[in-house]
Every structure is written in structure tokens, then in C-alpha cells.
Amino acid sequence: MTLRPPLRIPGITEIPPSAPGMRIGLFGGSFNPIHDGHLLVMEETLRRLELDALWVLVTPGNPLKNNAGLPPLDTRVQAARARIAHPRIRVTGFEAAKGFTYSWQTIDFLTSTLPGRRFVWIMGADSLANFHRWQRWRDIAARVPIAVYVRPGAARRALASRAATMLDYAQIDEADAAILPLCAPPAWIYLQGRQSSLSSSAIRAAKDPN
């Protein structure tokens, strides 16, 4: 298991409170910066999956990307909290305190230490297109249901991706979104709906054209 040096920051790296039976969405990313497209996905998945809570997991860094110049964890967590007003959305950087590098580590830890919760992993369609490149992606799919939200220009690549093809048998109908948190994994859904063309990389490029 690859671990980073633990980084504990009071008020930043604590795990949000929960209770058995809760339906909890897990939405991870660097959030550099957080933007309206992220908020749209949060709002739509909260509503359509009938979640009790959604945890925004601000990662120490994406192992598939160049993290040079990534702002400090506490800066990104505080910025996300400042943008989010929904009472059922909690922002945390707890992965840093555990030294986690990969999403499967996060999911393995949460499902093992917080039994009885109905966790759902949430990702954009652009992430599904590359899901097969994630370390132990099959273990992720076998551990929690997955909700994939449409992203502009990513639908064809996502639905034709290696992961989508291999998990075709486990896809449930979009009309049954509310039952996804109750489904035994592997189970996943592709959600169509409101879209935003915003991306963190484009926002960063606009701020620093050089």
C-alpha cells in the first residue's frame, strides 16, 4: 500500500460525523479551484440519489496528474467550504491525515471502519473514461456503488471506456437512481442532466495564460 506522510491539520482533516444507515456520497478531487460545475454535480447527485450527506474529499494530490504548484490542502478545503452553503455537504481533507494516495485506500478505510453506512462514489464522466487507469479500480467497483455524472464532450468516451464495458452488466437504469445507494456493488449509474463547461484546468489557464 502506497502511503504519503500523514498530514493532520485541526479543522481540516477530520472525518465528518455519520451514523449507520446514512446514504453518503463521496466526491473526491483536487478542487484546484472548486467551481460551479462541481457544485452542480453535488446538488444533482444529492437530490437524485436521495443522499443524507455528501462528503467532498479534497485530495492531497492526484497520482495521475502533475501536482506541481498545487495549493496547500487547507487552502483548498477552506475555499471549497466558502463556496458551499448546503447543510448536507461537508468538506474534508481527511485522506491527508491517513496518508492515503489512492481512492481505493479511502474507500477501503471508510467501508471497513464505518460499517452500516451506504457509501456511493461519485465521479464525472471524464473520470469514468480513465477509470481503468486508477490503481485497483476493480476493487473500487466491487466495494461501493458508483454514480457517474455527465460532462460536456465526455459521454461517448466514458460509455465506450474499458471500465464501462467491463461493468456493463452492473449498470442500473437512470430512472432507478434513488435505489443506487442500496444496491450491492458492483452497481453503477450514468446520470444525464444539467451540465457546466467549466473546468479547473481552464480556470487556472485563464488566470495564468503563460
Side-chain angles (χ1 to χ4, degrees), residues 120-123 131 137 140-141 144-148 167 180 187-189:
V120 177
W121 189 259
I122 297 168
M123 68 169 70
F131 190 37
W137 66 272
I140 296 174
V144 289
I146 297 172
V148 180
L167 294 170
L180 181 68
W188 67 285
I189 194 167

Side-chain angles (χ1 to χ4, degrees), residues 98-183:
K98 300 297 179 183
F100 295 158
T101 300
Y102 301 102
S103 297
W104 71 264
Q105 296 169 319
T106 300
I107 292 168
D108 183 67
F109 173 80
L110 290 176
T111 55
S112 298
T113 61
L114 297 175
R117 281 70 169 173
R118 300 285 187 170
F119 290 113
V120 177
W121 189 259
I122 297 168
M123 68 169 70
D126 50 338
S127 293
L128 177 62
N130 297 310
F131 190 37
H132 63 280
R133 296 178 58 206
W134 293 25
Q135 189 176 90
R136 294 178 59 169
W137 66 272
R138 293 179 181 85
D139 291 341
I140 296 174
R143 205 69 186 261
V144 289
I146 297 172
V148 180
Y149 196 84
V150 63
R151 285 277 294 155
R156 181 172 296 179
R157 288 189 301 115
L159 294 175
S161 67
R162 178 179 172 187
T165 300
M166 294 185 68
L167 294 170
D168 178 69
Y169 70 96
Q171 185 176 5
I172 71 171
D173 192 272
E174 186 175 6
D176 296 324
I179 71 168
L180 181 68
L182 306 178
C183 292

Side-chain angles (χ1 to χ4, degrees), residues 18-59:
S18 64
M22 286 182 64
R23 301 155 63 114
I24 302 171
L26 304 173
F27 186 37
S30 300
F31 299 102
N32 178 34
I34 192 167
H35 54 71
D36 287 345
H38 295 134
L39 301 182
L40 185 155
V41 174
M42 296 176 204
E43 293 168 359
E44 287 294 299
T45 52
L46 260 175
R47 178 179 62 85
R48 295 172 67 178
L49 302 179
E50 298 183 4
L51 300 174
D52 298 304
L54 189 150
W55 295 356
V56 179
L57 309 179
V58 182
T59 66

